[in-house]
Amino acid sequence: MLNLGVLASGGGTNLQALIDRSEAGTLAAKVVVVISNNSTAGALERARRHAIPWYHLSRATCGDEASLDAAMCETMQRHGVDLVILAGYMRPVGPGLLHAYPNRVLNIHPALLPKFGGKGMYGIHVHEAVLAAGEKTTGVTVHLVNSEYDRGRILAQRTAPVMPGDTPESLQKRVLAIEHEIYADVINRIAAGEIRL
Ligand code: GRF
């Protein structure tokens, strides 16, 4: 059983998918702590509803980047986190956390990296860019996080078709459903030793 520490800034549907699978017994892991930089994140409300310890940690609550990084490390370690799971986390991860969890920080990206990654490529902007480029296929990438944005080792990818008449919103919905499956699959494969970190 792996202990997951989830970082999320937004609504938290990926967090919810992990909680649901854990409660249903289909995930070889448990969300033990949720941290958000955004005090009004839906993800924190989801943690609260499931009685999972949660924290609002940001530059505002911690003072500066180095103190924020240290607080994140301390919180993850105090809760016995094995894997740090970024699920819609809109900030860079600090060097201290990356050092404390080498090859143990995962992110999910709503496109087939290395395409449609990097600065400015988040949320609905990714799907807008995919449509603007006339792609016929998009998808999801789960990758390790390192100090270079969206450039860590790719652990898994799954494709989704782009349909005629798609809007960024319709594409986002199709891709999000795949995100919810693939993140759990990757975590299960890590737990089973099929993916080595
Ligand atoms: C997802 O599309 C994820 O790939 C991206 O941010 C979004 C988060 O969605 N990194 P949610 O908050 O999990 O619903």
Side-chain angles (χ1 to χ4, degrees):
M1 221 17 143
L2 292 169
N3 285 341
L4 310 179
V6 176
L7 296 178
S9 303
T13 67
N14 276 288
L15 166 66
Q16 189 69 52
L18 295 176
I19 295 172
D20 291 346
R21 283 160 179 73
S22 173
E23 289 182 353
T26 59
L27 187 72
K30 185 178 177 217
V31 179
V32 296
V33 64
V34 176
I35 298 175
S36 183
N37 59 312
N38 171 9
S39 64
T40 62
L44 291 183
E45 181 52 37
R46 293 178 194 272
R48 221 173 277 142
R49 275 209 294 271
H50 291 267
I52 297 167
W54 59 270
Y55 301 84
H56 169 221
L57 296 179
S58 67
R59 261 201 322 223
T61 67
C62 296
D64 57 26
E65 286 294 340
S67 315
L68 171 59
D69 191 14
M72 303 247 283
C73 283
E74 188 278 323
T75 306
M76 293 289 180
Q77 285 171 337
R78 183 159 40 83
H79 286 278
V81 166
D82 302 306
L83 278 185
V84 177
I85 300 292
L86 273 59
Y89 187 61
M90 306 298 280
R91 298 204 79 255
V93 174
L97 191 61
L98 289 175
H99 183 76
Y101 288 92
N103 292 339
R104 295 288 184 286
V105 181
L106 275 64
N107 184 41
I108 191 159
H109 186 78
L112 297 173
L113 290 175
K115 280 170 128 178
F116 305 104
K119 238 185 156 36
M121 282 293 165
Y122 62 90
I124 201 76
H125 303 303
V126 176
H127 307 293
E128 286 167 355
V130 167
L131 289 176
E135 298 285 321
K136 298 280 178 282
T137 304
T138 184
V140 177
T141 304
V142 176
H143 64 96
L144 292 181
V145 174
N146 60 21
S147 48
E148 264 186 286
Y149 218 74
D150 287 345
R151 296 291 291 277
R153 179 183 142 208
I154 291 175
L155 301 179
Q157 289 187 307
R158 203 168 287 173
T159 60
V162 179
M163 310 282 211
D166 257 337
T167 60
E169 291 75 19
S170 66
L171 194 54
Q172 182 175 46
K173 196 170 163 211
R174 190 174 312 123
V175 167
L176 202 50
I178 296 173
E179 292 184 40
H180 297 163
E181 296 298 330
I182 193 176
Y183 227 174
D185 284 356
V186 167
I187 292 165
N188 278 336
R189 285 164 61 200
I190 292 170
E194 291 166 22
I195 295 178
R196 287 182 196 284
L197 298 180

